[in-house]
C-alpha cells in the first residue's frame, strides 16, 4: 500500500489541481510587486500612504468608519473580542464550537485574555436565532463566521442573519463577523460587502483565502473601536515597522479577484454536482453557497488513497493532497475553487470525474 | 521661524544622509528577492525550508539549540518573559526603566500577561551587578538590553556581564537578552555572537536595525523553550501562513552586512569625534561602543532647527530629520551608522561638520 505521503506527491505531480488560485510560491509576491515603483515608501508602524490608502479602501468596501490592517486574523479577532468584552465589563463571548478561535489558536483568547467562550449550536450545524435566544448566560459579543468553514462553508439565510443581528442589538450583544471568506459569499446573498457588514459591529476579512494574497487581514468598525484595536495591535507586536509586503499583495489580488467571486461560486456548484454524481460521495453543502465545500466519501481513508492517487495520475486532475478520516469507513477533504479551475481543459476535467466515478463503482461492486 | 516639518524636509532633500543603510522603500524588499527562484515554496505556518533553514542558521549563529522566527521583537520578548515566569511560577521580571517593553509596547506585558516589571537602575545609566544584588523581591527573569538603546547604546563591560550572568545563575534568575542590536556590539566586545549569547538563557535579535531587513526577529534558546514559544506565537497570531517576505530579506541582508559591523563601529567612533569637536555638542557615549550613539546639544530645539536646516541645505549632509527636546535649552537625536556613511564624499562630510561647528560657534558668540 502506498504511504500517506504518496497522496501529497500525486497531487503535486498532477498538472491540473482542482482548487485554489496558485501554488504558494515566491512568485505570488513578486508578481504583485513587479509593476510597482521601487521608490515607494514603506509604511512605518501603521502610518504612511501604503497602509492608510489600503485601510481606507477596506473601510469603504465594508461600509465602516475605519479599518486597520493586521498581520493575521488570529490577532485581529482576539483583539475585537477583547475590546467588546472590556466595553461590556464582561469576559464572556459566544461562538460556534468549530470557530477558529476555539480550534486553531492554541487557546490564545483564553490564555491571553481570560475570556470565556460559550459554544453555540453543535459542531455539525450552523448557529440559529434560537441558539442565541436560548443563551442562559450573558455575553458581550457573538461571533458569526460566514461561511462556517469547518462544516463545508455553510451559510444562514439572509433573513436569519438579520433576525440574529436585530436580536443582538436589542439585547446589547455586540456582533462580530469572522469574514475570513466574506467576499466569497456575496454572490450567494446577492448583496454587497457593505450591506452584509452593516449587520455587524466589527468585521474581519482575510487576504489569503479567496483573495489569494500572501497573508494579512483587515479589521473594520467604528473609529473609536479601530483606534482601540491599534493600541492592542501594538501590544501584540503586530504593529510592524513594515507590513507592506502583505498590504501590496493584498491590494493587488483584491483588485484582480474581487470581481471573480461569482465565477468561483458558479464553478463550485458545477464541481459539487460532479462529485455528487459519484457513488459513495457527497458534498457539504450539497449545493455550495460560496467557492468552497467539503467532499465526503463513505469509504475508508486507506481504501480511498490508492484510488485517488491512481485517478490523479491517470487524469492529471489534482483532487486533493490529503484526506481526513471521519470514521473507520469515511473521510473527507476541503475544496475551494479559484483561478486554477478555469485553466483545466474540459476533457481532462471530465476524464478525472469519469475515472473517479468508475473507481468508486468498482469498489462498491467488490 | 521654520516649522517642525522643515527639518524633516531638509533631511529628505539632503543627498548624503549620515545614518542608516538606505531609505525604507519597496526596493529594500525587491532587491533581496530579485536573485531568488520565483518557484521557491512559501513557508507554511512555521514549516518549510525557507523558515527552517533560516532558523537553523540563527541557532548556529547564536550557539543555541533552536531558534524561531517572529514577525516582531515585541512579540518574541513578551513571550520569552512569559515562559520564564510560568516556569518559575512567578509573574515578576526585572529590566531597565527604558526597556522597549516598558516604553514602546503600550504595556503589552502587563495587559496580556499580568507580569509585573521591577525597574532596575535609573534611566540615565546601565544596570549593574549591584542593582541586581540589591533586588528586594524575587524575579523570574532579568532582561538586559545590549546595547542599551535609549541611553545612546551604552554597554556594560564584558566582565560585568559575566558577573551578572553568574549571579543570576546562582540565584535561579533566568537571563534574557534584548539583542535587537546584538550583532552591532560584537566588534566592541571582540567576541562572537555565540560567546555573548552563551551568557543568556534566551536571546532576541532584530533584522531591521543593523541588518537593515524589512522587519522580523529571531528568538533563540533551548529546544523546549523554543517549542513552547511556538505555541505562544500561534496564540498571538504571529504564526502567519507566510513569513517569507521578512525571512528572505533578513537572510539576504544578514549575509551582506554581518561582516561589516566592525566597519560601522569604527565609523561611529570617527563621526562621534567630529560631533564632540563642535561647541555645545556631545555624544552619548562619548566614544561609541557600537554603530550608534546619541547627539546631544546644549541648545534649544527651536534655536537648533534652523541651524541644522541651513547646514543640511548648504552641505548636502543629512544630519537628522528630527530633534527631541530634553529641556528648555537642550535637545538630542539618535544616529546609527550604516552603509550610507561610506558613500559620502570626504569633502562633503568635512564641509558638513565645518558648517555645523561654525554655526554653533556663532550662536555661542551671540
Amino acid at each position: 500500500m502506498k504511504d500517506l505521503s504518496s497522496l501529497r506527491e500525486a497531487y503535486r505531480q498532477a498538472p491540473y489541481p482542482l482548487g485554489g488560485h496558485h501554488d504558494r510560491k515566491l512568485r505570488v509576491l513578486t508578481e504583485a510587486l513587479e509593476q510597482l515603483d521601487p521608490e515607494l515608501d514603506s509604511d512605518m508602524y501603521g502610518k504612511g500612504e501604503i497602509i492608510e490608502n489600503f485601510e481606507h479602501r477596506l473601510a469603504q468596501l465594508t461600509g465602516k468608519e475605519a479599518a486597520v490592517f493586521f498581520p493575521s486574523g488570529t490577532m485581529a479577532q482576539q483583539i475585537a473580542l477583547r475590546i467588546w468584552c472590556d466595553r461590556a465589563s464582561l469576559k464572556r463571548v459566544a461562538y460556534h464550537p468549530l470557530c477558529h478561535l476555539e480550534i486553531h489558536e492554541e487557546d490564545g483568547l483564553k490564555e491571553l485574555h481570560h475570556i470565556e467562550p460559550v459554544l453555540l449550536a453543535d459542531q455539525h450545524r450552523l448557529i440559529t436565532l434560537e441558539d442565541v435566544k436560548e443563551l442562559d448566560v450573558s455575553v458581550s459579543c457573538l461571533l458569526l463566521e460566514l461561511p462556517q468553514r469547518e462544516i463545508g462553508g455553510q451559510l444562514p439565510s439572509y433573513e436569519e442573519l438579520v433576525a440574529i443581528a436585530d436580536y443582538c442589538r436589542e439585547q446589547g450583544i455586540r456582533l462580530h463577523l469572522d469574514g475570513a471568506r466574506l467576499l466569497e459569499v456575496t454572490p450567494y446573498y446577492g448583496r454587497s460587502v457593505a450591506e452584509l457588514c452593516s449587520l455587524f459591529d466589527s468585521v474581519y476579512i482575510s487576504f489569503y483565502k479567496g483573495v489569494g494574497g500572501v497573508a494579512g487581514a483587515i479589521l473594520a468598525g467604528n473609529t473609536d473601536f479601530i483606534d482601540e484595536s491599534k493600541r492592542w495591535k501594538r501590544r501584540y507586536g503586530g504593529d510592524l515597522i513594515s507590513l507592506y509586503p502583505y498590504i501590496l499583495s493584498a491590494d493587488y489580488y483584491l483588485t484582480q479577484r474581487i470581481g471573480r467571486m461569482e465565477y468561483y461560486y458558479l464553478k463550485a456548484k458545477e464541481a459539487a454536482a460532479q462529485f455528487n454524481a459519484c457513488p459513495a460521495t457527497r458534498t457539504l453543502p450539497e449545493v455550495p453557497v460560496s467557492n468552497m465545500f467539503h467532499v465526503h466519501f463513505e469509504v475508508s481513508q486507506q481504501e480511498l488513497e490508492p484510488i485517488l492517487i491512481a485517478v490523479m495520475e491517470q487524469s492529471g486532475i489534482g483532487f486533493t493532497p490529503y484526506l481526513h478520516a471521519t470514521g473507520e469507513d469515511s473521510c473527507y477533504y476541503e475544496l475551494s475553487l479559484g483561478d486554477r479551475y478555469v485553466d483545466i481543459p474540459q476533457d481532462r476535467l471530465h476524464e478525472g470525474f469519469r475515472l473517479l466515478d468508475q473507481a468508486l463503482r468498482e469498489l462498491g461492486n467488490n
Side-chain angles (χ1 to χ4, degrees), chain A:
Chain A
M1 201 186 79
K2 301 215 180 185
D3 69 19
L4 277 175
S5 62
S6 299
L7 188 60
R8 184 169 304 272
E9 195 45 40
Y11 178 81
R12 279 177 70 98
Q13 299 289 333
Y16 303 111
L18 267 191
H21 299 305
H22 43 229
D23 288 335
R24 293 192 60 88
K25 294 191 179 275
L26 175 56
R27 67 180 146 78
V28 176
L29 176 61
T30 53
E31 180 192 323
L33 303 180
E34 111 196 322
Q35 302 301 323
L36 296 172
D37 180 359
E39 296 306 307
L40 264 179
D41 284 319
S42 171
D43 53 308
M44 288 287 285
Y45 300 113
K47 305 278 185 208
E49 281 191 16
I50 288 177
I51 192 164
E52 288 168 18
N53 289 350
F54 188 67
E55 288 173 347
H56 181 68
R57 178 181 184 186
L58 269 290
Q60 292 211 301
L61 182 69
T62 56
K64 295 297 184 193
E65 285 177 11
V68 53
F69 190 88
F70 271 92
S72 74
T74 295
M75 194 184 290
Q77 295 206 106
Q78 287 178 17
I79 286 172
L81 298 193
R82 171 62 187 256
I83 293 172
W84 296 135
C85 283
D86 280 355
R87 295 216 179 161
S89 298
L90 174 63
K91 291 212 164 185
R92 198 183 297 121
V93 297
Y95 55 51
H96 192 271
L98 298 180
C99 175
H100 196 274
L101 289 99
E102 191 64 14
I103 63 173
H104 290 307
E105 302 181 8
E106 290 274 353
D107 278 340
L109 188 74
K110 299 164 204 171
E111 296 286 341
L112 288 167
H113 300 287
H114 310 285
I115 291 173
E116 175 200 343
V118 180
L119 306 182
L120 289 185
D122 72 51
Q123 56 177 31
H124 302 296
R125 65 166 177 85
L126 292 170
I127 292 172
T128 64
L129 176 62
E130 280 314 298
D131 295 317
V132 187
K133 283 189 170 170
E134 284 168 12
L135 262 170
D136 53 9
V137 290
S138 39
V139 297
S140 305
C141 177
L142 168 64
L143 178 152
L144 290 184
E145 182 184 350
L146 302 183
Q148 193 77 48
R149 183 231 180 143
E150 300 288 347
I151 50 173
Q154 297 181 50
L155 283 179
S157 70
Y158 184 69
E159 293 64 38
E160 178 95 8
L161 209 52
V162 171
I164 293 175
D166 286 346
Y167 179 78
C168 285
R169 200 172 304 111
E170 281 163 34
Q171 300 292 316
I173 299 170
R174 297 295 188 164
L175 197 56
H176 171 76
L177 172 55
D178 177 342
R181 296 163 181 80
L182 178 66
L183 306 178
E184 293 89 315
V185 305
T186 50
Y188 170 77
Y189 282 128
R191 296 183 186 266
S192 70
V193 177
E195 223 172 335
L196 293 171
C197 290
S198 71
L199 302 174
F200 295 84
D201 296 294
S202 54
V203 174
Y204 139 69
I205 298 174
S206 168
F207 297 114
Y208 65 91
K209 278 82 178 188
V211 172
V214 177
I218 204 87
L219 183 65
N222 285 349
T223 303
D224 61 333
F225 170 86
I226 292 303
D227 286 347
E228 197 170 342
S229 78
K230 288 180 182 177
R231 287 198 293 281
W232 282 105
K233 180 182 165 188
R234 168 145 299 217
R235 286 178 182 140
Y236 264 68
D239 190 21
L240 304 194
I241 187 169
S242 294
L243 283 165
Y244 69 80
Y246 300 132
I247 297 168
L248 294 173
S249 49
D251 196 43
Y252 176 81
Y253 291 110
L254 181 64
T255 299
Q256 195 171 97
R257 299 201 173 106
I258 194 168
R260 296 188 197 162
M261 296 296 162
E262 172 117 32
Y263 174 81
Y264 305 146
Y265 165 52
L266 294 175
K267 291 298 159 186
K269 288 198 285 190
E270 180 185 298
Q274 303 248 44
F275 279 110
N276 286 314
C278 296
T281 307
R282 65 181 177 88
T283 67
L284 183 70
E286 188 185 342
V287 179
V289 289
S290 71
N291 70 322
M292 77 167 288
F293 54 88
H294 287 180
V295 187
H296 286 263
F297 300 93
E298 293 299 319
V299 179
S300 75
Q301 183 179 358
Q302 286 69 23
E303 280 183 300
L304 188 58
E305 268 171 15
I307 290 175
L308 278 175
I309 290 168
V311 171
M312 291 198 282
E313 282 172 354
Q314 287 169 50
S315 67
I317 300 295
F319 281 94
T320 181
Y322 74 92
L323 289 168
H324 284 313
T326 43
E328 284 198 4
D329 294 312
S330 60
C331 58
Y332 85 103
Y333 76 94
E334 179 178 291
L335 189 59
S336 298
L337 295 196
D339 287 353
R340 291 203 289 211
Y341 193 85
V342 74
D343 293 330
I344 306 178
Q346 282 300 309
D347 59 336
R348 284 301 189 109
L349 193 60
H350 183 76
E351 180 68 0
F353 279 106
R354 194 189 65 77
L355 288 170
L356 181 65
D357 179 79
Q358 184 185 321
L360 289 166
R361 269 177 219 287
E362 280 167 12
L363 188 71
N365 294 337
N366 285 344

